[in-house]
Amino acid sequence: MTVKELAEKFNLTVHALPDGDREITGVYIGDLLSWVMGRAGADQAWITIMSNRNIVAVATLADTACILLAEGVVPDEGVASLAAEKGVNLLTSEQGAYETALAISRLL
């Protein structure tokens, strides 16, 4: 499934979608950025509640397919434009991280 398909299927709010055709191969949930850098896999949808600009750097380093902010968290000011500039897909879900991960994993 692509990031764009994910956004449409789950009615997610899109904040940045510079690479909507990027394929998602799995899901990673984590909020401790140093932990995510070493453990999130390439092409995974990374689910977090962290909303500051550092998430864009971590997503770039980990090469995740997208950042998905759970529980209705919105990105801090300027984060969406930074994500678009760096080629990072950034979405928001109203659901919790666990529920979101389950729903995505059922489709992969």
Side-chain angles (χ1 to χ4, degrees), residues 2-67:
T2 67
V3 176
K4 183 178 178 183
E5 291 169 340
L6 174 72
E8 292 170 357
K9 177 99 177 148
F10 293 106
N11 197 31
L12 303 174
T13 301
V14 174
H15 297 279
L17 198 63
D19 190 10
D21 293 328
R22 178 95 184 251
E23 287 288 329
I24 299 170
T25 60
V27 180
Y28 187 84
I29 303 172
D31 297 319
L32 184 59
L33 300 182
S34 60
W35 194 265
V36 174
M37 278 191 295
R39 290 173 175 77
D43 301 319
Q44 290 183 326
W46 169 31
I47 302 172
T48 184
I49 58 167
M50 298 297 296
S51 61
N52 64 50
R53 62 188 299 113
N54 294 332
I55 61 174
V56 176
V58 171
T60 301
L61 289 170
D63 196 26
T64 60
C66 64
I67 302 169

Side-chain angles (χ1 to χ4, degrees), residues 37-105:
M37 278 191 295
R39 290 173 175 77
D43 301 319
Q44 290 183 326
W46 169 31
I47 302 172
T48 184
I49 58 167
M50 298 297 296
S51 61
N52 64 50
R53 62 188 299 113
N54 294 332
I55 61 174
V56 176
V58 171
T60 301
L61 289 170
D63 196 26
T64 60
C66 64
I67 302 169
L68 208 165
L69 302 178
E71 301 190 31
V73 170
V74 295
D76 293 351
E77 187 173 334
V79 173
S81 59
L82 178 63
E85 176 186 317
K86 299 294 183 182
V88 174
N89 298 307
L90 179 60
L91 313 166
T92 298
S93 172
E94 293 298 320
Q95 290 188 308
Y98 177 74
E99 294 81 11
T100 302
L102 278 178
I104 295 169
S105 68

